[in-house]
Amino acid sequence: MGITSDWHIHSRNSCDQASMTVEELLRGTAAKGIVDYGLTDHIHTPFNLPDLAASRREFDSVGPSPRFHFGVEVSCVSQWELDEVATGQHEAPVYGLRSGGPPGAPLAIGLAAEDIEAHGIEVVVGGTHWPMYVPLERDAVIRDYHRQNLFLAAHPLVDVVAHPWWWAGHWRDPDGGYRGEPWLDDFGAIPRSMHHEFAAAAIEHDTVVEINLGANLLNPHYPDRFKLQYVDYLADLRDRGAKLCTGSDCHSSHYEVDFAAAARMLERVGIRDDELWRLPPRV
């Protein structure tokens, strides 16, 4: 199996450590045999909209082919922080407001339908990136991430749910690894009923679930046992009828993605490239 599509790629216009130019991306995809793909720089709140405009300008500058699409990755945030950011009282809220909000705050994304139209966005990838003002305790985080994943799967503007159950930040070991909480020691800590509810929501709303290569399958900081469990989880989503797609989540200065290693992992559970979701070429 060779992977031929990638729907989660960051350029130097993302607000984080991503540093690749779009021209370098074009060279990399050609070398890797990726034929259908999308540029998806980050938006957390409307504070990041200038980054999206810069991403669109660079995308347009390369004369993109009909099989190279313009997209965005939005984070699940809360309506509380969108309202707070809109006051202008917070200095440089690049990642929104990661503390101070009420637990259980209504969820939101920092992108509106008019933004999608104004920037010609073809695919919206939505991701759960952080706990939403809940205690950093396993059960609380699991419940909160599940709530966010369901919200994204049902959101009318979201086409793809990014990296379900990705984790970074707290509970990191001194050597950089993640071996324990919230679910890296045992993916079985998450009730299967949550996986079934998420699959049902994705199917009901025709939302695609991402197989994230860089953040999950190939993450050097994650235990091998977790990765095996996670691939089985993806196969179960597929078997239940959810659509899957691949995303590298590349943040590097070069398009350095081990697609062959990821393909071998997916082959173990029978996930094939020809059954994965992709956007058709632009007319």
Side-chain angles (χ1 to χ4, degrees):
M1 167 182 163
I3 294 172
T4 61
S5 64
D6 184 355
W7 301 105
H8 190 158
I9 309 169
H10 296 283
S11 80
R12 60 183 176 179
N13 298 295
S14 268
C15 59
D16 53 13
Q17 78 275 19
S19 56
M20 183 166 50
T21 67
V22 177
E23 285 189 349
E24 178 61 25
L25 170 59
L26 293 180
R27 287 190 288 270
T29 52
K32 294 286 188 180
I34 301 299
V35 295
D36 296 300
Y37 53 107
L39 180 64
T40 56
D41 285 325
H42 282 289
I43 290 290
H44 305 307
T45 75
F47 181 82
N48 308 119
L49 284 174
D51 299 328
L52 181 61
S55 182
R56 181 75 216 198
R57 286 194 298 271
E58 188 167 357
F59 175 85
D60 289 338
S61 74
V62 301
S65 80
R67 302 183 81 163
F68 180 25
H69 302 265
F70 186 71
V72 63
E73 182 184 9
V74 297
S75 293
C76 190
V77 293
S78 75
Q79 188 59 51
W80 170 83
E81 66 186 288
L82 293 184
D83 295 341
E84 282 287 316
V85 168
T87 68
Q89 298 177 3
H90 300 271
E91 184 177 356
V94 174
Y95 295 96
L97 304 175
R98 304 277 41 89
S99 62
L107 300 175
I109 60 172
L111 189 76
E114 51 264 34
D115 300 318
I116 293 174
E117 182 176 0
H119 296 284
I121 295 170
E122 300 171 76
V123 57
V124 175
V125 178
T128 299
H129 288 114
W130 36 60
M132 210 66 70
Y133 331 122
V134 299
L136 288 174
E137 177 272 321
R138 183 190 293 248
D139 289 342
V141 171
I142 286 174
R143 289 191 299 270
D144 185 64
Y145 265 47
H146 179 55
R147 182 173 79 106
Q148 292 187 52
N149 288 336
L150 288 179
F151 170 80
L152 293 170
H155 199 288
L157 299 183
V158 173
D159 302 299
V160 178
V161 177
H163 48 60
W165 303 108
W166 170 74
W167 178 261
H170 198 67
W171 292 308
R172 190 170 192 176
D173 294 337
D175 64 357
Y178 294 92
R179 299 180 181 88
E181 296 190 82
W183 45 74
L184 278 304
D185 56 342
D186 181 10
F187 197 49
I190 301 169
R192 289 183 62 83
S193 60
M194 290 186 176
H195 299 327
H196 299 168
E197 188 178 6
F198 175 63
I203 294 165
E204 178 183 354
H205 297 279
D206 199 29
T207 307
V208 182
V209 180
E210 178 191 71
I211 303 170
N212 190 295
L213 310 185
N216 286 338
L217 266 61
L218 304 176
N219 191 327
H221 306 299
Y222 282 4
D224 288 341
R225 178 174 183 245
F226 168 81
K227 295 177 184 179
L228 291 173
Q229 290 178 312
Y230 192 80
V231 172
D232 287 339
Y233 156 73
L234 294 171
D236 183 63
L237 294 180
R238 184 272 317 272
D239 292 345
R240 289 179 177 277
K243 297 178 183 178
L244 304 178
C245 73
T246 41
S248 67
D249 209 351
C250 183
H251 281 78
S252 303
S253 58
H254 301 286
Y255 194 59
E256 299 168 345
V257 184
D258 193 347
F259 287 106
R264 288 192 295 271
M265 296 176 72
L266 297 177
E267 285 173 350
R268 186 183 68 82
V269 294
I271 295 176
R272 307 189 316 271
D273 181 70
D274 62 5
E275 69 182 356
L276 298 176
W277 174 92
R278 66 186 67 209
L279 280 177
R282 288 189 306 276
V283 177

